Amino acid sequence: MTGMFWNLLLALAWAALSGSFTGMNLLAGFCFGYFALMVLQKQVPALKGYSRRLPRLMAFLFFFIRELVKSNLRVAYDIATPVWHMKPGVIAFPLEARSDMEIMFVSSLISLTPGTLSLDVSDDRRVLFIHAMFLQDEEQLRADLRELERRILKVMR
Amino acid sequence: METLMAYVIGLLFAASIYMMLRRSIVKLVIGLIILSNAANLLIFVVSGLTRGAPPLIPEGTAEAAGAVADPLPQALILTAIVIAFSVLAFAVVLIRRAYEVVGTDDLAQMKDTDT
Amino acid sequence: MLNIAINLVYLMFSLALLFSFIRLTLGPSLADRVVALELIASVVVGFVGVHAIDTGVSSFLDVAIVIALTAFLAAIGFARFLERGGVKDE
Amino acid sequence: MSELIVSVLLVSGASFVILAALGILRLPDLPTRMHASTKAGAMGAILIMSAVALHFSESTVVARAIAFIIFILLTTPIAAHVIGRAGYRTGAELWDGTIKDELRERYDPGTHQLESGLEGKTEGGMPLQPSDRSEM
Amino acid sequence: MNLELVLPILIPLTAGALSLAFWRSVRVQRLLAVIATGLLLGVSIWLMRSTIAQGFLVVEVGSWPAPFSIVLVSDVLGAIMIVLTSIIGLAIAIYSLASTPPGHEKFGYYPLMHLLLAGVSGAFLTGDIFNLFVWFEVMLLASFALLTLGGERAQMEGAIKYVTLNLFSSAIFLSAVGLLYGMVGTLNMADIAQKVSQVEDPGMVTVVSLLFMVSFGIKAAAFPLFFWLPASYHTPQVAVSALFAGLLTKVGVYALYRVFTLIFTQDVGYTHTIMLWAATITMLTGVLGAAAQFEFRRILSFHIVSQIGYMLLGLALFTPLALIGGVFYIMHHIIVKTNLFLVSGITYRLLGSYELKNLGGVYRQRPYLALLFLIPALSLAGIPPLSGFFAKFVVIRASLEASEYFISGIALLVGLLTLYSMIKIWAEVFWKKVPEHVTDVSRLNGEVKDPRSWAFYVPVVGLAFCTLIIGLYGQPIYVLAETAADQLMNPQLYIEAVLGGQSK
Amino acid sequence: MMLLAVLSGFLLAIAVPVLYRLAGNYIGWVLALLPASLTGYFLNLIPSITGGQTLVIEHQWMPSLGVSLDFMVDGLSLVFALLISAIGTFILIYAGSYLKGHRDLGRFYVIMLSFMASMLGLVLSDNLITFFVFWELTSITSYLLIGFNHEDAEARKFALQGLFVTAGGGLVLMAGLILLIFMTGSYSFSDILASDQPLHEHSYYVGATVCILIGAFTKSAQVPFHFWLPNAMAAPTPVSAFLHSATMVKAGVYLLARLNSSMGEHELWSNALMFFGAATMLTGAYLAFSSTGIKKVLAYSTIMALGTLTMLIGVGTEKATTAFICFLVAHSLYKGALFMIAGALDHETGTKDITRMGGLRRAMPNTAIITCLAALSLAGLPPLFGFVAKELLLESLLQSPSWSLVLVTMAVVASMLVVAVAGIVFIKPFFGPISTTPKHPHEAPFAMLVGPAVLSVIALVFGVAPFLPGALVLDAAVSSIYGNSVETALALWHGVNVPLMLSAVSLLAGTMLFASWHKLQPALDTVNSSVSRVGPEAGYFRFMLGITQVASWQTRLLQNGVLGIYLVTLVLVTFGLVGYTLLTRHGLDLSFDFSNGYFYEFGIALLIVASTVFASVTSSRLGSVASVGVQGFGVALIFIHFSAPDLGITQLLVETLTVILLVLVLFRLPPFVSLSSPLERSRDLTVAVFAGTVMTLLMLAVLDIQYFESISSYYIENSYELAFGKNIVNVILVDFRQLDTLGEIFVLGLAALGVYSMLKLKAEEQHKP
Amino acid sequence: MNSNTLILHTAALAIMPLQLMFSVFLLLRGHDEPGGGFIGGLVAASAFVLYAFAFGARPTRRLMRVNPRDLLAAGLLFGLASTLPALLSGQPMLTAHWWQLPLPGEGYLKLSTVLIFDIGVYLAVLGTLMTFVIGLMESGE
Ligand code: NA
Ligand code: NA
């Protein structure tokens, strides 16, 4: 099931890359994707319930792009102005995410969001350490992060 | 631009030679990297620089649209890059082994084999 | 107008290259240099994109894709060096 | 019209890039510089690629631009994370204005163990095992 | 389709790739080594016969017309070099069966050997200046790997110098190709030659030709560019030294012969005079270097340098006779020098050292080995009627003919000093008693026997036989050199053969 | 047949190991059959030669090179051939006994036979180059013979000395012969002798003469090259007997005689021969007199004889030529005999020192008689052939057209010394009180006496009947040297004349000298040792030492092991040559016209420059590596910007991987430390800047020049049509120039192999038990 | 020290197939657009380098199953195999041969010695680079 999903995705990506969505090309993409996955077989963790996630994914993308622009501007503003407004620090952020893939996505998206940067995960994988640029209101930040994580998990679970 | 590049490439040669003359084997390797870049750029520049016309034949046509950059030196440089990379990879491992075996990274101390 | 924008963007990228290169030279830590190197890769991507528009040759896009797929490896390599306790020289 | 949008995308992309560059030049410590470079750099690249996609408006180009954006989104945070982590662990100095560091006390530079502070607590009955995949 | 022109490259390439594929089976690799080099020898003789029959063989690789394709060309000089390469290849392949340490065999010795031969063959056969660069690099990389195989300290030190100086040479070569291409817009050597001859103001051509001269001069180990050779040639295992000694520098010499007869003849008075003095000092410094050495392979290494001087002298004098002498010298030298290294390997095996002070007693225990040393050694020293005498005789005659008395004098003096070195080895290794501090003489006495020790002697005997043949039955060899020189002196023939109707 | 005659020695040499096994102790006798039959063969040729004929037998060898196995037999070569084969016969017999049971007897015969064959080839060759081939072969074989006792360091040293002097002279001779070939346009002695070209007027004459003389003088041990010969006494006695009687040392004299009729009759030739010959004669005689070792005495007297022979050729008159041939034959006979006797004495008494011998006539009566004959001949007393020769010598000197008085005086002094020497050789050992010697003396075996006996008897016969050799072959020999037909009419008794009186004087004085020999010894030793410090032999050793010193000095200077210095040399040579040539052949195109560049291109250029400079100056390794990465990005941007997307991609990928490799490797390496001094840094900087400047100038010069249209238009036009590809660069790589790429992947593979073995081989070996 | 984080591990698994796929893509269309065997091979190598950085050398060997050296040998043999058709048909060395294989549906599969050669280049590059990287990582970094 999971393999099939990735395989299709790869086939689509193939077609997208080559810019030709003919049947032949999709087949070729499928084949190469299959090849790529074959190589990875043992290492790919199980992923289930793909079909439910597509709408959530769309919603999430919207949310994320908004966040991205917003915080980007905030960081940009601080860089462009001579005085530092930032109050940086490292916080421990307990994770809801459990699987490797979830943790990876959560931390990546947190990193992608300006102002926050995933530094490390505790050895027991329950806490994500995040360097934040604007710790003026830590509670708000934690809430935002939790919201982000919740939305990601919704897409992935 | 060719004129400017002539100066840049001269500088690259100078820097590479300077680095190769250092006594540290690591600097020697860095000198080699710069040297290969310099030689590649030299070929590129002396065979003429063309802006915005890569030697590709556009989709749906059988011939290149108008004058394109000379593809031959590009092919040569590509080969040269690969070769230089191979050599470099070898050199990099060589200096590492040399350091392990000889116990110094100082080239001036590696003169036992000659005299 | 596009032309002006393109030239402006070239200018900005040139400056960006300059700034990031200064950081690369200043360091102070290896990680700082690597960050700068990463950013330079991004600027190169930008250059490539603008150049594609400038020349009307879309094939240059592949360069950008290759950078996106591989340039971060250098950073990972450096990080690996640091984490495994390579001899630091700063 | 499209030319205008392309121009705007280009210039805003370039602005992000130059902000990123200015950021890593100006900002006082490694993590803050990374805030600037990683995100703004990626953002800039994405905007430029959007401009490219729009400018050519060909399926092949668009597809490749999308592929590029996906790749950038996948790789940039990973690189940032890896460097940030390594930089932190090897003792990169934090800026004086840093107000908080919850990682410092939980990290043991000798054993490189990083505690969560939640040890002993279980949650939802899930067994917690450190990843055993790495060998080295 | 001239298969015989293609196979000298394809056979060693395929053998190399197959040996690599059979990495785990040293037995297969050994077998392959002998079979492939044997085949190569057969093909090279075929090539020689066709070349003599047709004058020139040309293949336009990929069926694209010259000068757009890479061409493979065999003239008599090229064919001679290929024959020599294959002889040396076969000799080394057999010798390696006995001499190669097991670790080396397991770590790619045979593929490296094949690919070195492939690079050398490619360099001898290509008619394209950039392709020449590629084959140089194949050869160079193979030599790098062979040089470091084993990982001893001396090997590493030697290799750093070898690699660095050769890379400098490669960079100069590459730059020179770029500059030349920028000027004449072509890479085919015949085409370049034809175009260069039409250039009205050839000053820049001369400048670029000097880059080639320096680059090839480094590969050929000419004065003052030879440092890499004595620094490294004595460090790898002996079969590798022998292979290098026979072939590597000669590729540089060949390249000089090729470009400075075919392409860069527009300012002979300048370029060849530079070469003349370089050749003279090369002879002298090399032989003096050898006089200062007391290690078997180092002495031999310095003599390579010295003899490169003779070969270059042949080119530098640039008369038909001088070129004959040069070509003859190359033929003689490759066989003799390889053989001497092989002999040094046998004495090493017998007594465990290359240092003269640790050697001795070989004449007493192994008179036939002593004879096998004397043949190449005296040949190298130019003692008649061995091959080296005729080689030296022709070169000196040519230099006297060109009224270069001083240079002839130097060449004679160098001959004497060469004899001195060979006699030094003879007296120390063969005549002298086994030194008292050498305790393990079990191999020398024949108490301990090596497996496959026949493989030590077969190539040595074979090469000594070649030396004798070149000396005693020299007429056909001389005629060959004469034909080669004749072709070199008439580049128009080459150009016509390669470009056919296109040449003007 | 002639070819077989010459080469049979070599063939027999090859067969020696087998024959030795078959014949055992009789090997000497068996092998002697060859020279014996050769003697017969040559004797058989006498009639045709005396008939005035010159036999020329031609065999092809390397016709294109002018080398042929042509042989010429005339009077001169026949005399030599006879001496070689006849004396050779006895030597081989003698050696079988002298070296009986010696572990290296077989090897000895191999070399001896080769030597003999080479010597025969030398005197019989018609072709100049073949002559030289045999000439060098005699040097080599005699080297092996002198060093026969090779485990003795002295033997090795003196073998080398002999070889070095003779082979060195040989090389000079080669130049002389080549010049002679240029002068005459011919490769054969017979042509040169037959032609009446005036060689003296040729511009090469002086050069050729000097070279040939040096060659001949070294070989024939003329002053100042004489020192090697006595040292060659390290050889076993049969070798000395052969080397110093008939053969090798006479090769030079043979050459002079051979060329006399073509190259003589010129002041340079005759004066040089007379001067060096006389000097050698006197030196040899004096040194013989002052030595105590029997072999040394004989060796020095050989030098005296060689000087005499040379001098006689120089005098060049008909008489002198006759004297030359007679002296040559006489010397060969008595010297061969005396050396064999010396060997017998040494063999039977265990010492070579004459001062330790005495009264041996009782123990060795036969030896004494034979010695007596030979010594008489040496002293030039009637009725031996030595007397005939000496009378002729004095007579011819008296008639010499130049320097007559000087030469006669010197000859008389020399004869006087030789008389004393003869006394030393004969009377010292055999008369007087019996000395105790290391071995108890008794008569030598037959094989060792037959040679000296026959030779002495021949000397006696020739002395009594001097017309005999004359009629046989000497006339012909004299004719071939002199160039015209000559009748010698030799006689033992010419009546009382000036030469006879001079002989008498020298005999008297010689006897007195002999009487005071013992008393003079200490004084002579003092003189000799002080002379030897500045003499030619000291010069030889100084020369050898000098070579070694110059060699090590030069090697320390050039091959000093410092890579930096090697590289500096290479760079300076490369860019010095190129720069100089650029300035002189093309001129300077210094251009600062950057107007056709866009500002961002300057930006890229600046990035490259800045990253390069930083990579070179930073003290941080990883900073340097990162900066090199940036440089790679810059280069990639140049590629991309100037229409080379494939290059751009490749450059970026390669740069990234390079950085990764460097980082993987730097892990193990130490940080940068400043190793070099500021002086070295500024030196390197100067060199580097110089190279960079030349490279820039070179590029600027080339940028203006494009002589021809590039061939690329073909690729651009046909890439799609014929090769079905739209990426022209890729089509070139995989089709038009696929062979490059094929080579390239093998380069990659080789790098992988090299790296693999470097990384793994050590580890693997360590895992072995 | 454990240099690998869960994040890197997981990301490597996600990114690697994309890189591999893209490398094949670059290989196959290199004849018409930027790319080709060399570039493709380098990108494929980067994929495995990423994996090696995340998981270490030995797991990468296991993942690849084939020894990089054998990959290299295969690449070289492929490269040589591309000379065979010309050799067998008596044409000059390396003359290109093209075959069009009809496929189910519309279109042809264009096969050629050129493609075989490019695949050889791809494999050789991949094999070489993995030899470098795995070798260096294994030899006691
Ligand atoms: Na601010
Ligand atoms: Na092809």
Side-chain angles (χ1 to χ4, degrees), chain E residues 64-65 68 128 131 161 181 183 185 204 210 214 227 267 270 285 288 363-364 397 405 431 472 475 478, chain F residues 61-64 104 107 150 187 204 551 554 559 561 574 581 585 707 710-712 714-715 735 737 740:
Chain E
W64 305 104
F68 310 111
D128 186 282
N131 196 239
K161 287 157 195 166
Y181 176 79
M183 278 154 52
M204 270 323 286
L210 285 175
V214 170
F227 309 112
D267 197 356
Y270 185 66
T285 49
L288 283 176
Y363 178 67
R364 168 111 342 271
R397 185 176 168 183
Y405 304 114
W431 264 3
L472 299 178
Q475 173 66 12
Y478 184 83
Chain F
W61 188 1
M62 292 175 69
S64 304
D104 287 338
R107 293 179 198 185
H150 53 86
Y187 291 86
Y204 284 155
Q554 181 225 251
Q559 198 72 32
T574 311
T581 315
R585 306 269 147 163
Y707 297 116
S710 162
I711 54 171
S712 293
Y714 178 87
Y715 303 128
D735 202 341
R737 293 183 65 87
D740 280 347

Side-chain angles (χ1 to χ4, degrees), chain E residues 61-64, chain F residues 731 734-739, chain G residues 82 93-97 113-114:
Chain E
V61 176
S63 298
W64 305 104
Chain F
V731 172
V734 298
D735 202 341
F736 290 120
R737 293 183 65 87
Q738 191 184 358
L739 193 57
Chain G
S82 72
M93 184 186 188
L94 292 173
T95 304
H97 281 239
T113 53
V114 168

Side-chain angles (χ1 to χ4, degrees), chain F residues 330-454:
Chain F
H331 175 254
S332 300
L333 295 174
Y334 68 67
K335 195 52 64 66
L338 285 176
F339 263 117
M340 286 192 259
I341 287 162
L345 290 177
D346 165 23
H347 199 255
E348 300 309 324
T349 65
T351 179
K352 288 185 173 108
D353 190 346
I354 297 180
T355 54
R356 297 179 64 182
M357 300 177 197
L360 286 172
R361 69 179 188 281
R362 288 185 199 89
M364 310 172 73
N366 299 335
T367 314
I369 294 166
I370 297 165
T371 312
C372 177
L373 287 175
L376 286 176
S377 193
L378 168 67
L381 290 177
L384 284 122
F385 196 52
F387 172 72
V388 178
K390 193 170 77 173
E391 293 305 291
L392 274 168
L393 160 73
L394 292 172
E395 195 183 340
S396 66
L397 292 183
L398 284 166
Q399 293 169 12
S400 168
S402 52
W403 308 102
S404 174
L405 201 62
V406 180
L407 295 180
V408 170
T409 316
M410 291 172 87
V412 170
V413 173
S415 323
M416 182 176 93
L417 288 164
V418 167
V419 168
V421 166
I424 295 166
V425 171
F426 174 54
I427 297 172
K428 272 288 160 206
F430 290 100
F431 294 89
I434 298 172
S435 321
T436 43
T437 48
K439 276 163 82 179
H440 182 69
H442 51 77
E443 194 64 86
F446 174 65
M448 287 174 71
L449 285 182
V450 59
V454 173

Side-chain angles (χ1 to χ4, degrees), chain A residues 75-86, chain D residues 26:
Chain A
V75 174
Y77 174 78
D78 206 4
I79 294 169
T81 53
V83 186
W84 300 130
H85 303 290
M86 63 184 181
Chain D
R26 280 200 66 212

Side-chain angles (χ1 to χ4, degrees), chain A residues 118-121 123, chain C residues 83, chain D residues 34 80-90 112, chain G residues 1-5:
Chain A
S118 308
L119 277 184
D120 219 333
V121 184
D123 291 344
Chain C
E83 294 222 343
Chain D
M34 292 184 69
H81 156 72
V82 171
I83 300 168
R85 177 177 190 264
Y88 186 90
R89 288 196 166 195
T90 51
H112 301 299
Chain G
M1 186 201 300
N2 172 13
S3 74
N4 310 289
T5 68

Side-chain angles (χ1 to χ4, degrees), chain F residues 12-34:
Chain F
L12 190 62
I14 294 170
V16 162
V18 181
L19 290 175
Y20 189 34
R21 225 161 282 159
L22 295 175
N25 281 337
Y26 298 100
I27 179 78
W29 293 95
V30 174
L31 295 177
L33 290 175
L34 175 72

Side-chain angles (χ1 to χ4, degrees), chain E residues 162-176:
Chain E
Y162 181 91
V163 168
T164 309
L165 301 180
N166 273 291
L167 288 188
F168 179 77
S169 156
S170 294
I172 297 294
F173 185 10
L174 191 60
S175 308

